[in-house]
Amino acid sequence: MDLTYRPRRLRRSHALRSMVRENSLSPADFIYPLFVHEANDVQQIGAMPGSYRWPLEALIKEVERAWSLGIRCVVLFPKVDESLKTEDGAECFNEKGLIPRAIELLKKELPEMTIMTDVALDPYSIDGHDGIVSPEGIVLNDETIEFLCRQAIVQAQAGADLIGPSDMMDGRVGAIREALDDEGFEQVGIISYTAKYASAYYGPFREALDSAPRSISEKPIPKDKSTYQMDSANAREAIIEAQLDEQEGADILMVKPGLAYLDIIHRLREESELPIAAYNVSGEYSMVKAAAEKGWIDEKSVVLETLLSFKRAGSDLILTYHACDAAEWLKQE
Ligand code: PBG
């Protein structure tokens, strides 16, 4: 055939392919989510093989391991004792709570590691919602924000570097920015869960924290989070959320979940000059783990291909439970 263009010319060898490769993965792209609890044992999470609830001592070792693999940021999630859960989730700003203690310990042992936190009430709420639920069953916006600000301040006091509001209340980024600044934490950044969708992919995470919405009294409790998290049918709305978060002072914008929302990552990349993060959430992780356990897919190849897709779509950072495995695999390549 008389072809001028033969794209295969550049695919002929490993060396050529590596020369024209448009995107790459590095352990410094990863943010590693970790679950902590009060118990003394390391507990495997049923639906997330290879992910654990860590006691504080063991957490330090796991974070040291992540650091040695080149990972530079971890995000912490608490499994809170039932006895501490209340309707208003006030345990979220207890200075001696699990998360502030974990941050303090990590900052003492490994001061260089970037510590990101999650700001929302769900691990502390007896109703399992990210905000305070009114007697009529409404998730209250402005009342919740006051609590979120106090939660963010306590995390910053403990030494957090990046505050991650995941609650999807309106106006929380601006309120948290102001609260942090008022307390002298103008250096603490905000990585906002900007486009966070009401998603079934969070199921295994809610098992890990035992934090799913539930009804324990006469109070009507919304069964899902669709009055505050985004509708998965919407893309333009993500741009509105991104514009608001930028105006309100977010430093990094996040899209969550990741894989089913690559188009949203791409659109935010085109709309904003801020760094973009993708959250490769628990359900995405569990599906890969389950298929790999059955021998139906090759875990390493699927994970690296998936993580690369987030970079290609336009994200700079990837929150992923595969972080340590992926960092090890990248070292071998
Ligand atoms: C809490 C929160 C959730 C996740 C991160 N922060 C769950 C939810 O909103 O219900 C999900 C993370 C994952 O599934 O990996 N607001």
Side-chain angles (χ1 to χ4, degrees):
M1 284 170 80
D2 181 20
L3 290 178
T4 307
Y5 296 109
R6 289 183 180 270
R8 288 186 57 188
R9 283 178 199 132
L10 297 182
R11 296 181 200 138
R12 279 175 62 220
S13 69
H14 187 80
L16 269 166
R17 289 192 297 276
S18 70
M19 287 164 63
V20 297
R21 190 159 290 145
E22 298 172 36
N23 292 285
S24 63
L25 283 170
S26 144
D29 302 331
F30 302 150
I31 298 178
Y32 182 27
L34 289 158
F35 303 105
V36 291
H37 69 169
E38 296 282 5
N40 296 319
D41 56 332
V42 177
Q43 280 173 12
Q44 159 89 46
I45 295 156
M48 300 179 70
S51 250
Y52 304 89
R53 297 187 195 95
W54 301 95
L56 295 188
E57 283 306 312
L59 174 74
I60 298 169
K61 297 225 167 51
E62 179 64 0
V63 175
E64 279 169 351
R65 182 173 82 97
W67 179 268
S68 72
L69 287 166
I71 293 163
R72 295 295 175 253
C73 184
V74 295
V75 53
L76 304 176
F77 296 100
K79 160 97 168 67
V80 177
D81 266 8
E82 272 311 306
S83 64
L84 297 173
K85 295 187 182 183
T86 54
E87 281 190 71
D88 66 6
E91 174 65 15
C92 76
F93 54 82
N94 177 359
E95 289 172 25
K96 300 199 170 60
L98 184 55
I99 289 295
R101 275 184 286 132
I103 299 170
E104 275 164 23
L105 200 64
L106 285 177
K107 274 290 158 188
K108 197 171 98 208
E109 301 293 328
L110 256 161
E112 284 183 287
M113 179 62 97
T114 308
I115 310 285
M116 171 183 165
T117 60
D118 191 83
V119 168
L121 300 188
D122 52 329
Y124 310 93
S125 153
I126 203 149
D127 303 321
H129 274 286
D130 292 19
I132 300 168
V133 186
S134 78
E136 297 78 34
I138 309 289
V139 177
L140 299 170
N141 195 86
D142 302 14
E143 292 81 347
T144 296
I145 286 185
E146 214 183 296
F147 278 57
L148 301 176
C149 288
R150 295 173 74 173
Q151 184 180 16
I153 288 167
V154 166
Q155 293 171 346
Q157 272 164 354
D161 302 286
L162 291 173
I163 303 292
S166 73
D167 55 285
M168 290 304 276
M169 298 300 121
D170 292 333
R172 90 279 207 213
V173 170
I176 290 172
R177 182 69 272 156
E178 200 182 318
L180 289 171
D181 291 352
D182 283 350
E183 296 292 322
F185 296 115
E186 57 285 313
Q187 297 302 322
V188 173
I190 296 180
I191 171 166
S192 175
Y193 289 68
T194 294
K196 179 174 179 180
Y197 287 85
S199 169
Y201 283 98
Y202 308 149
F205 174 97
R206 293 179 190 165
E207 180 204 314
L209 297 189
D210 202 6
S211 63
R214 61 179 181 183
S215 195
I216 52 142
S217 66
E218 295 297 293
K219 188 163 89 173
I221 303 296
K223 285 192 190 50
D224 59 34
K225 303 190 175 182
S226 52
T227 68
Y228 46 105
Q229 297 180 347
M230 286 177 58
D231 188 323
S232 50
N234 295 355
R236 293 195 311 268
E237 193 186 349
I239 315 271
I240 298 176
E241 287 285 1
Q243 289 166 346
L244 289 170
D245 280 0
E246 270 205 63
Q247 287 161 17
E248 291 177 32
D251 299 285
I252 301 175
L253 307 179
M254 192 203 299
V255 175
K256 179 184 175 194
L259 206 43
Y261 299 86
L262 290 174
D263 58 322
I264 307 299
I265 297 171
H266 183 67
R267 287 177 75 147
L268 290 205
R269 172 71 297 148
E270 306 216 303
E271 280 301 314
S272 174
E273 302 305 325
L274 290 177
I276 306 285
Y279 200 143
N280 177 217
V281 298
S282 57
E284 298 170 49
Y285 174 86
S286 301
M287 291 193 302
V288 170
K289 284 288 185 182
E293 267 178 17
K294 288 200 173 259
W296 291 345
I297 57 169
D298 176 51
E299 182 177 357
K300 172 182 165 181
S301 309
V302 166
V303 168
L304 292 178
E305 182 180 334
T306 302
L307 297 178
L308 194 56
S309 78
F310 297 127
K311 296 292 294 288
R312 196 187 63 241
S315 55
D316 306 284
L317 298 165
I318 306 163
L319 292 87
T320 179
Y321 303 94
H322 299 289
C324 285
D325 286 343
E328 295 226 20
W329 292 324
L330 290 172
K331 236 174 27 186
Q332 294 160 11
E333 298 235 310

